[in-house]
Amino acid sequence: MSCNNCTTKNKKGSCGTGGCGTSGCGSGKLAVFDWLSNTQVPGGQKQFDCVEVRFKNSRKEYFRNSENIPLQIGDVVATETSSGHDIGVITLTGELVRLQMKKHRIDWESDNIPKIYRKANQKDIDIWQEARNKEEAVQKQSRELAIALGLEMKISDVEFQGDGSKATFYYTAEGRVDFRQLIKDMARVFSVRIEMRQIGFRQEAARLGGIGSCGRELCCSTWLTDFRTVTTAAARYQQLSLNPQKLAGQCGKLKCCINFELDTYLDALQDFPKTEVKLLTEKGKASCQKIDIFKRFMWFTYDDDPINWYKISVDNVKEIIALNEKEQKAVSLDNYAIVSDGVGMSATLGNDNSKEMIEEDITRFDKVNKRKKGKKSSKEQKNSNPKNQKQTKNSNQQKKENQNNLPKSVKEQKQVNPQKENSQNNLKNTNEPKKPNGKKRPNNRNNTNKEK
């Protein structure tokens, strides 16, 4: 069978056994590209007799091919160990192995390098697969034993030797753990030789693997081989918010990728003035509040007026510092500031004529949009819609039908009621005083005067 990502035929089994040496399957984890594979060795020179063998996860060791067995990348071999033999997959051959051993400071001329016995046969592979299949159940039982003893440790991985005679338990812990009783219990339950090996939290994440916050596979489990210390100072240089939830990886420590671009930021910051330097102006002292490394801007505020921020380019800041070194003060930051587009900040124009502060209108969200004249009210729109008119007609028809369906006694009562209402209204009108008519009354005084 073959892998999904390559056309290499795997005669030894599935890709988990590492029958092919491509990076698409499990055998290619932390693999090195052999760019000298198609080159021939010069005449009279022997091929380098050491090979690189990978075991479970990222564990790699170097062995000597003393018997000159023809080996290629992806071959399953039986290697020498302190007791018995182990099964691994060859990941690198040739002159590149010499460079890798030089990188890891391993002397290839010493006699302490273990040897390769032979290519693994089918019996060796079957025993190896049986031992690998037991690892998950053994890990679960070992955790239960550690919890029963009250040990503050986490057993993260178990690795069986190729012949099944030894098991290595990898664990993480904050401090030293006394696991002598644990080893006795595990040896009695599993009937194998036990080796406990403490690893760090970064090594644990590299062995287990996973997906990072960037959406890609973890760097420590794919290509990163050395783990450098990461400090919060690296995050400060890059102007990152010191939020532990965002800066921490799956291992619980600071992400290794914080160090990737640190050198570039440090080179860019060499051209910036120090943020501790204060600018002396006639209006007062100004201190730095923020910097933008990519756009080369710095924000300053007066000590007496910390609300207003002034965005100034790095070159102008250097000019002000040069004046201060000559014991001269700049007129004000208004002459050097650039208009700021940040919310809550204000800045000035660079022209001398316009020195007024430009502030954003905070009440811009409180303005109400006036209704246009052309728009109708909500009631008019409802009445104008033909759908609403149809609904009103239907409702009127239903009311009439309901009235017709009522019994006679109810109808008679409804007919009598309006007469009572009319009689009551008439009584009210009789009690009220009569208002005069619209005609004017004749003035008797005027008539009498005329007669006289």
Side-chain angles (χ1 to χ4, degrees), residues 18-23 27-39 47-55 59-65 69-77 79 88-104 106 113 116 225:
C20 62
T22 59
S23 59
S27 63
K29 191 175 182 181
L30 298 175
V32 179
F33 177 70
D34 190 3
W35 53 277
L36 294 175
S37 59
N38 295 327
T39 58
Q47 190 175 4
F48 191 62
D49 59 349
C50 291
V51 294
E52 183 185 66
V53 180
R54 185 190 66 82
F55 299 94
R59 185 170 70 92
K60 291 182 179 180
E61 295 181 6
Y62 299 93
F63 298 88
R64 191 182 300 279
N65 187 9
I69 303 170
L71 299 174
Q72 295 179 355
I73 295 174
D75 290 340
V76 182
V77 293
T79 61
V89 181
I90 292 177
T91 55
L92 199 62
T93 59
E95 291 295 325
L96 288 181
V97 181
R98 191 196 302 270
L99 298 177
Q100 290 292 322
M101 294 178 73
K102 184 178 180 181
K103 177 183 177 181
H104 295 288
I106 299 173
I113 297 175
I116 290 178
T225 56

Side-chain angles (χ1 to χ4, degrees), residues 79-314:
T79 61
E80 180 184 0
T81 58
S82 59
S83 60
H85 68 274
D86 201 353
I87 304 296
V89 181
I90 292 177
T91 55
L92 199 62
T93 59
E95 291 295 325
L96 288 181
V97 181
R98 191 196 302 270
L99 298 177
Q100 290 292 322
M101 294 178 73
K102 184 178 180 181
K103 177 183 177 181
H104 295 288
R105 298 178 181 179
I106 299 173
D107 186 12
W108 58 83
E109 295 180 355
S110 65
D111 298 332
N112 296 326
I113 297 175
K115 300 178 182 179
I116 290 178
Y117 289 144
R118 62 186 181 277
K119 285 186 178 181
N121 52 30
Q122 190 61 40
K123 184 179 179 180
D124 296 332
I125 293 173
D126 293 339
I127 296 171
W128 179 39
Q129 285 296 321
E130 289 177 2
R132 290 288 296 271
N133 294 332
K134 293 190 298 183
E135 290 176 354
E136 186 175 355
V138 170
Q139 179 182 357
K140 184 178 179 181
Q141 292 179 1
S142 62
R143 286 183 175 181
E144 293 175 355
L145 293 174
I147 292 170
L149 294 173
L151 300 178
E152 295 181 357
M153 59 185 296
K154 177 186 174 183
I155 298 174
S156 58
D157 194 12
V158 180
E159 182 181 355
F160 271 88
Q161 196 169 286
D163 55 0
S165 62
K166 179 182 175 183
T168 304
F169 292 82
Y170 297 92
Y171 72 96
T172 56
E174 294 291 341
R176 296 185 65 181
V177 181
D178 186 7
F179 46 76
R180 288 177 291 181
Q181 185 62 37
L182 179 63
I183 292 174
K184 294 178 182 179
D185 296 341
M186 288 193 296
R188 186 185 69 256
V189 174
F190 305 132
S191 300
V192 292
R193 290 186 295 107
I194 305 297
E195 180 182 354
M196 304 294 294
R197 188 174 296 179
Q198 185 175 3
I199 58 175
F201 294 98
R202 297 181 189 275
Q203 286 80 8
E204 180 187 12
R207 293 185 67 86
L208 300 179
I211 303 297
S213 59
C214 59
R216 303 185 66 180
E217 197 173 353
L218 296 180
C219 297
C220 57
S221 63
T222 52
W223 63 272
L224 191 63
T225 56
D226 55 340
F227 298 97
R228 298 180 182 179
T229 56
V230 185
T231 60
T232 55
R236 292 192 182 95
Y237 285 128
Q238 301 178 44
Q239 304 297 314
L240 298 175
S241 61
L242 299 178
N243 188 354
Q245 294 180 353
K246 293 182 178 180
L247 296 180
Q250 290 190 2
C251 57
K253 305 293 182 181
L254 293 175
K255 294 180 181 178
C256 297
C257 55
I258 295 175
N259 283 340
F260 293 168
E261 298 179 356
L262 179 60
D263 296 336
T264 305
Y265 278 90
L266 292 175
D267 293 339
L269 286 171
Q270 288 180 358
D271 193 32
F272 276 68
K274 293 183 179 179
T275 56
E276 294 83 4
V277 176
K278 291 191 175 184
L279 304 181
L280 302 178
T281 62
E282 294 179 357
K283 290 185 177 181
K285 293 182 180 181
S287 57
C288 181
Q289 301 293 336
K290 178 185 172 183
I291 63 173
D292 191 341
I293 300 173
F294 298 103
K295 297 181 180 179
R296 293 175 58 80
F297 288 138
M298 301 179 73
W299 280 263
F300 285 86
T301 59
Y302 287 110
D303 295 343
D304 299 333
D305 186 13
I307 298 174
N308 297 322
W309 290 37
Y310 298 87
K311 183 171 73 172
I312 307 174
S313 63
V314 175

